[in-house]
Amino acid sequence: MHRTNPNDTDFVIWANMRKLRIYHEYTYRQISKLLGIPYTTYSNYENKRARPPIEVLIGLSEIYLITVEDIVKSDMVFKLRGV
């Protein structure tokens, strides 16, 4: 796994991945299975140990029916009430 220094976008992505998963009531294992990646890999993305590749962001956008831009740039707190 390649680690790089996180930037502001990384923190937005990590936070949004978690907010979306919780809002849609998925576990790490469920969402990783839908994405076709190991549970530990998804956990590393959400727990700020690695950056998710674009393929994962595209997969998440398809699962949650949102755009990749929503995941990368938006503050999902305002889009997902109660999370």
Side-chain angles (χ1 to χ4, degrees):
M1 170 177 9
H2 183 261
R3 286 191 63 132
T4 57
N5 292 328
N7 58 41
D8 290 342
T9 301
D10 292 326
F11 288 105
V12 170
I13 292 169
W14 292 326
N16 285 340
M17 288 176 70
R18 179 175 175 75
K19 289 172 191 172
L20 285 161
R21 182 181 56 77
I22 291 169
Y23 179 81
H24 290 279
E25 298 180 350
Y26 285 116
T27 65
Y28 283 145
R29 291 191 191 280
Q30 290 169 324
I31 200 71
S32 63
K33 186 174 182 177
L34 289 170
L35 291 168
I37 60 175
Y39 154 80
T40 53
T41 300
Y42 183 83
S43 175
N44 285 336
Y45 299 148
E46 199 173 294
N47 288 298
K48 306 174 187 153
R49 291 190 281 269
R51 286 182 179 154
I54 189 67
E55 295 82 9
V56 168
L57 299 177
I58 291 168
L60 290 171
S61 72
E62 292 170 352
I63 291 165
Y64 298 131
L65 303 175
I66 60 174
T67 67
V68 171
E69 186 175 5
D70 286 334
I71 299 169
V72 173
K73 293 186 175 182
S74 298
D75 184 350
M76 296 307 294
V77 169
F78 296 109
K79 292 190 177 209
L80 304 173
R81 294 183 187 121
V83 175

